[in-house]
Amino acid sequence: MFTHKDIEYRTIFVINCIQKRHLRLLNGELLLEEEVDDEGRVKTLTKLPFQKIFALFVVGHITITSALIEKCQKYGVALVVMKPNLRPIFFWSNPAEANYLLRQRQHLMAKEDLSIAKIIVNNKIRNQIKSLKNTRKKDDITLSAIEKCISYLPMVNQCINYSELMGIEGIVAKQFFAAFYQMHHWEGRRPRAKCDVINATLDIGYTILFNYIECFLRLFGFDLYVGVYHRLWFKRKSLVCDIMEPFRCVIDKTVRKGLNRNQISEKDFNVRKGEYYLKREKNKEYQQLFYDALIPYKGDVFDYVQSYYRCFMQKKSVSEYPQFLI
Amino acid sequence: MNDYILISTLNDFIFCPYSIYLHNVYMSTDEDLYHAVPQVRGTVAHKATDSKSSSTQKDVILALPVFSERFHLMGKIDVYKRKEKKLVERKYQLKGIFQGQIYQLWAQFFCMREMGYIVESFAFYEISTNRMIPISLPSSEKECQFEKFVSDFLNYDPSSPIKINPNKCSHCIYCNLCDKTDLENVYS
Ligand code: SF4
């Protein structure tokens, strides 16, 4: 079974397989190899013991063999393969798909029940407030955004319907982003529109966060498509969208820091028809930026999801649901 | 009918019926890897028997797969001594003998009987102390008791409420992924 010790000990490995790199199984170990010449000679870059892997994120190309799948299954390793643009094309991990009681409970939850959704939105807003406070900025925009965000918090609890809750979340997010990225010509959040560097980078960060959270939810066997805040929507994994809400602040903070330190900059992008695309050679750096920010939180994410699972199954009162506070 | 009970899970069912549900949820992941310390010791104790290497005597049958249509049971026996018509279950250490362990032995006995073997006695063998502990054969009354137990197992509904025993939970390998408790197990 996965225990806290397990989560502490195991790591999330992100492997770049873009340039002439392969993964190979040898004597039960996973080798990352790189071609060194045109005659197919290879050198081993690293060896990864399966016992140390919690999840394997492969960016680029990989040959998946049954032996690799068997090993991943044996050691409970999640395998995620992403295109160079970080779009996941393959997600393999099913440690608890037989947890039908959990799924039953998810499906039985009344559509209009907003109790857990409110906890999640409340948590997200609290982290947005904290993130603004942590900037230590005392300018009018920041102070007024903090004040407004605080004023919306009690309204979350009073919401009587879904659209009202979504409305509050949207207004607060607008205030938060405008103040948080004020030094970087923030124009507004436009998911997937790639209209500027910050939006394009936030998309990358949130995508990584999404896959990261998905690994933990799969550990317990949740139906990823059934959320409590995000509604059923075709192929959307609504529960992952829900659970990532309190953790978005980690990405927001990383983007701000990256902009301030010039680790994220306009010159890293190509612009095509007004859309910003990260240059291929910059892929690795950007991934590293986000994984480095997220991996230290793996214990917190496990605790959060474990506690959420238990509260959900035991129909605990909303006050007992977990909070992730940055 | 595919609902066969693994003899090795009888003990777990007595320990906590819900652990059988969790066992089935998580059993696709490797058994060795997730077995906590006490279970691992048991596995090691069985290794010699399972690989049929602990005895070369002709009259000894090791790790024989057994099966009962009547009780919907399947599993393996540890040791059957043909000449003595004796069934033996080896354990590394026996601090006490629990009902579940006795049921496992009975289960093996019923399976063997149904398969045509004659079993006249059985015993536990404690490896650490090299001790043989004889166990009496079940009376017809005990057989009914066992039948009722198996039927409870077959009809178990994991969504039915259970009484939690925190002491058990803290020693349960499923504790970290169980929704019935907020405890951590002692192996964490
Ligand atoms: S943790 Fe407790 S309730 Fe859950 S399966 Fe184990 S003993 Fe049963």
Side-chain angles (χ1 to χ4, degrees):
Chain A
M1 291 296 107
F2 274 99
T3 64
H4 288 267
K5 239 197 225 157
D6 242 324
I7 300 292
E8 249 169 63
Y9 175 71
R10 289 168 171 238
T11 311
I12 293 164
F13 287 96
V14 185
I15 297 175
N16 243 291
C17 282
I18 296 169
Q19 290 146 345
K20 296 187 169 181
R21 285 184 176 170
H22 324 272
L23 282 173
R24 189 162 71 92
L25 266 177
L26 184 74
N27 299 332
E29 267 188 320
L30 191 62
L31 309 186
L32 176 63
E33 296 176 330
E34 194 169 70
E35 282 177 31
V36 284
D37 57 26
D38 292 340
E39 274 139 51
R41 261 191 284 260
V42 291
K43 79 167 185 221
T44 303
L45 296 177
T46 183
K47 282 184 190 170
L48 306 170
F50 277 95
Q51 293 92 328
K52 270 224 82 173
I53 312 173
F54 170 66
L56 201 58
F57 287 83
V58 180
V59 184
H61 314 289
I62 178 183
T63 310
I64 296 173
T65 57
S66 51
L68 177 63
I69 298 224
E70 203 188 321
K71 277 276 171 198
C72 288
Q73 177 157 29
K74 181 172 163 126
Y75 291 96
V77 175
L79 182 60
V80 188
V81 183
M82 293 175 284
K83 293 206 331 195
N85 65 5
L86 296 179
R87 237 194 83 198
I89 45 172
F90 179 77
F91 204 131
W92 189 85
S93 153
N94 56 355
E97 67 176 359
N99 197 350
Y100 59 83
L101 289 179
L102 170 59
R103 288 159 188 236
Q104 214 168 43
R105 167 95 190 83
Q106 283 186 273
H107 295 166
L108 283 174
M109 176 137 174
K111 218 172 127 194
E112 56 286 349
D113 185 345
L114 290 175
S115 54
I116 309 171
K118 286 178 183 176
I119 294 288
I120 290 172
V121 174
N122 178 297
N123 192 169
K124 179 184 182 182
I125 297 178
R126 285 172 69 188
N127 279 341
Q128 288 170 324
I129 296 169
K130 189 78 198 305
S131 300
L132 286 173
K133 285 184 175 169
N134 285 350
T135 64
R136 299 214 188 95
K137 283 205 163 285
K138 298 275 185 278
D139 57 88
D140 287 350
I141 301 181
T142 308
L143 292 178
S144 131
I146 293 175
E147 205 178 299
K148 280 190 186 143
C149 293
I150 292 173
S151 72
Y152 276 105
L153 258 183
M155 290 187 216
V156 169
N157 284 339
Q158 289 152 16
C159 279
I160 45 165
N161 62 46
Y162 180 62
S163 48
E164 217 179 297
L165 186 61
M166 274 212 321
I168 290 173
E169 193 227 308
I171 296 168
V172 172
K174 212 169 167 181
Q175 299 287 334
F176 163 74
F177 281 129
F180 201 63
Y181 297 122
Q182 58 172 302
M183 312 302 286
H184 304 281
H185 318 293
W186 177 257
E187 295 207 352
R189 175 77 185 122
R190 317 248 186 278
R192 277 173 285 173
K194 300 182 178 61
C195 54
D196 54 39
V197 170
I198 311 184
N199 270 291
T201 315
L202 280 174
D203 285 346
I204 296 171
Y206 291 151
T207 305
I208 290 174
L209 174 66
F210 187 95
N211 298 326
Y212 185 81
I213 298 282
E214 182 171 340
C215 292
F216 289 88
L217 287 169
R218 282 179 182 254
L219 216 54
F220 293 87
F222 281 101
D223 182 335
L224 303 175
Y225 297 89
V226 183
V228 290
Y229 176 42
H230 292 83
R231 296 282 159 100
L232 287 170
W233 177 254
F234 302 110
K235 238 173 95 181
R236 180 177 67 194
K237 290 172 178 166
S238 294
L239 185 66
V240 188
C241 299
D242 287 354
I243 302 298
M244 72 186 266
E245 291 294 1
F247 298 92
R248 279 181 188 264
C249 55
V250 177
I251 300 299
D252 301 335
K253 200 174 87 178
T254 309
V255 171
R256 190 174 186 276
K257 224 157 80 182
L259 289 163
N260 288 342
R261 292 178 178 176
N262 251 334
Q263 291 164 304
I264 296 171
S265 111
E266 190 123 11
K267 63 181 184 337
D268 299 336
F269 291 81
N270 289 321
V271 187
R272 288 197 296 272
K273 293 185 189 159
E275 293 191 345
Y276 284 71
Y277 292 92
L278 187 63
K279 290 178 181 164
R280 269 204 168 195
E281 66 269 24
K282 288 283 162 188
N283 250 322
K284 202 175 152 194
E285 281 169 41
Y286 277 58
Q287 282 160 37
Q288 187 158 2
L289 197 67
F290 291 116
Y291 283 109
D292 283 352
L294 284 172
I295 288 173
Y297 288 108
K298 64 183 165 49
D300 299 82
V301 179
F302 177 77
D303 286 350
Y304 182 94
V305 176
Q306 180 194 49
S307 174
Y308 180 90
Y309 165 66
R310 287 172 166 170
C311 287
F312 188 78
M313 286 298 278
Q314 293 171 30
K315 297 189 190 164
K316 283 192 184 175
S317 81
V318 285
S319 61
E320 290 176 82
Y321 269 73
Q323 295 273 311
F324 166 74
L325 297 173
I326 195 160
Chain B
M1 282 269 261
N2 285 324
D3 45 354
Y4 284 99
I5 298 174
L6 285 174
I7 294 174
S8 59
T9 60
L10 294 176
N11 202 23
D12 296 347
F13 188 76
I14 294 183
F15 178 77
C16 172
Y18 195 63
S19 74
I20 301 294
Y21 173 73
L22 294 178
H23 176 74
N24 281 287
V25 167
Y26 293 107
M27 85 178 159
S28 68
T29 31
D30 189 71
E31 298 255 340
D32 308 341
L33 188 69
Y34 296 113
H35 269 162
V37 183
Q39 285 84 352
V40 168
R41 189 175 290 162
T43 314
V44 172
H46 274 128
K47 249 206 169 112
T49 342
D50 284 344
S51 59
K52 307 189 187 220
S53 62
S54 69
S55 175
T56 49
Q57 287 169 270
K58 266 213 185 111
D59 75 316
V60 173
I61 302 180
L62 300 173
L64 174 79
V66 291
F67 183 81
S68 161
E69 196 83 64
R70 174 180 165 207
F71 290 105
H72 294 268
L73 290 168
M74 61 190 291
K76 264 185 194 175
I77 61 139
D78 227 0
V79 183
Y80 175 65
K81 299 188 176 195
R82 232 195 272 251
K83 246 190 239 158
E84 292 170 68
K85 301 189 176 55
K86 191 182 181 101
L87 184 62
V88 180
E89 172 77 19
R90 293 150 50 102
K91 298 274 180 209
Y92 178 76
Q93 202 174 32
L94 280 165
K95 282 191 183 136
I97 295 175
F98 301 109
Q99 189 58 44
Q101 292 168 323
I102 293 183
Y103 276 175
Q104 281 177 352
L105 212 46
W106 288 1
Q108 294 174 11
F109 163 68
F110 293 131
C111 288
M112 290 198 79
R113 200 174 64 182
E114 210 176 294
M115 289 165 74
Y117 289 90
I118 297 167
V119 179
E120 285 175 353
S121 67
F122 38 63
F124 283 107
Y125 171 68
E126 192 178 40
I127 300 167
S128 57
T129 58
N130 190 19
R131 211 159 46 109
M132 195 67 98
I133 305 155
I135 302 288
S136 47
L137 296 181
S139 61
S140 52
E141 197 186 311
K142 298 271 189 212
E143 192 168 327
C144 291
Q145 176 192 326
F146 182 77
E147 195 165 19
K148 158 90 174 57
F149 170 73
V150 168
S151 135
D152 286 349
F153 195 147
L154 285 168
N155 294 312
Y156 173 63
D157 171 6
S159 63
S160 56
I162 57 163
K163 243 195 164 154
I164 306 298
N165 176 343
N167 188 34
K168 282 187 180 181
C169 295
S170 64
H171 286 87
C172 171
I173 56 164
Y174 299 109
C175 187
N176 280 88
L177 297 171
C178 179
D179 55 287
K180 306 286 186 203
T181 176
D182 292 335
L183 288 168
E184 287 295 308
N185 64 16
V186 292
Y187 318 111
S188 302

